[in-house]
Amino acid sequence: MINPKKKISLHVTAIVCVVLATTFFNSCNSNDYNDEQMYDTKLLIDTIATSDEFWEFERNSELLSDKFQAYTSTLSAEEYNKLMENLNDDDYMEEFIGKANLEKELQQMNEAKENLLLHTGFSKLSEDERREFTGKTLIKTRTEGNANSCETNKQIAYAQAKADYDNAIIKCRQESSTNYCYTQALAKYERSKRTSDRVYEECIKK
């Protein structure tokens, strides 16, 4: 006959073993799920990065930015500061868009954005994953083969500013004020690039 104390001890040992086994099993399942989720996300990101829709989005965001910069480069310091101060003024921005002749590029940008969201898995990415995706893609493209530290830092800053700009464009909703949202994103992007240029000029003087 088994001693009662020994019997209890055996029961406790059995329970502990079951708990440990269950915990280990759940842990393995959790790790397997996380690994699978990470793999699926990486696969999704790779698919988006090589899609026509993503590169069309990038092409149009660059065209829009280039045209915006081409116009703002003709402004005096006073006019440029006035633009920065009136980014939230719809009437002022409507007039600005007309003067800069940005209507076509804004329409193309909107179409490219909608195609990216509708025909790829981009909308499935979280905001952090989107920012990391666009940032890494652009930084790699801009810094490959560049050994100059000042230039490299400038290109990294440019790439980060571009990633922030792209994400701001994506977040603009389809509504009457979408164009104003785009121009706000453009203005912030250009301001970031100008800051990067000043930092670069200071760096090469050292």
Side-chain angles (χ1 to χ4, degrees):
M1 182 175 177
I2 299 176
N3 185 289
K5 288 185 178 179
K6 188 174 182 181
K7 189 174 181 180
I8 292 172
S9 177
L10 288 171
H11 282 170
V12 170
T13 302
I15 291 170
V16 170
C17 288
V18 170
V19 170
L20 288 174
T22 303
T23 303
F24 177 75
F25 179 75
N26 287 337
S27 175
C28 287
N29 281 348
S30 176
N31 288 337
D32 289 345
Y33 173 76
N34 289 335
D35 289 345
E36 184 177 344
Q37 191 175 37
M38 286 177 63
Y39 174 77
D40 289 344
T41 301
K42 184 179 184 303
L43 187 62
L44 177 60
I45 286 174
D46 288 344
T47 302
I48 295 168
T50 56
S51 69
D52 291 340
E53 288 82 3
F54 174 70
W55 290 107
E56 188 66 12
F57 172 85
E58 281 298 305
R59 186 180 72 84
N60 279 284
S61 72
E62 286 285 2
L63 286 173
L64 178 58
S65 170
D66 288 346
K67 191 159 186 181
F68 180 87
Q69 186 174 6
Y71 180 79
T72 56
S73 66
T74 66
L75 301 177
S76 66
E78 183 180 350
E79 289 171 329
Y80 181 79
N81 290 335
K82 186 177 181 181
L83 169 63
M84 294 297 109
E85 292 168 2
N86 286 279
L87 292 174
N88 294 317
D89 185 327
D90 288 355
D91 292 335
Y92 181 90
M93 293 311 299
E94 183 176 3
E95 184 180 349
F96 170 81
I97 289 169
K99 286 181 178 179
N101 195 24
L102 293 173
E103 292 93 342
K104 179 182 175 182
E105 286 73 17
L106 287 167
Q107 179 61 34
Q108 290 174 335
M109 181 73 264
N110 200 58
E111 290 173 0
K113 181 191 76 171
E114 293 305 313
N115 284 334
L116 177 67
L117 294 175
L118 287 172
H119 302 301
T120 72
F122 195 87
S123 60
K124 295 179 182 178
L125 299 177
S126 68
E127 188 171 337
D128 288 341
E129 287 169 340
R130 292 177 186 183
R131 181 172 284 105
E132 183 179 2
F133 163 59
T134 52
K136 283 184 176 180
T137 302
L138 292 164
I139 287 171
K140 182 181 178 183
T141 302
R142 286 179 178 272
T143 58
E144 282 180 341
N146 199 336
N148 184 295
S149 61
C150 292
E151 180 63 26
T152 298
N153 288 338
K154 184 178 81 167
Q155 292 304 324
I156 290 173
Y158 268 27
Q160 187 57 61
K162 180 63 164 59
D164 291 342
Y165 161 58
D166 283 348
N167 281 296
I169 291 289
I170 289 290
K171 289 169 69 176
C172 291
R173 296 292 178 242
Q174 181 87 33
E175 54 192 24
S176 60
S177 60
T178 300
N179 284 350
Y180 308 142
C181 182
Y182 288 169
T183 50
Q184 287 176 2
L186 282 161
K188 290 176 182 177
Y189 178 36
E190 182 170 324
R191 190 162 49 199
S192 294
K193 288 197 296 182
R194 289 190 178 198
T195 299
S196 300
D197 289 341
R198 286 196 296 271
V199 172
Y200 173 76
E201 292 299 326
E202 292 172 1
C203 178
I204 60 176
K205 290 176 182 177
K206 293 179 181 178

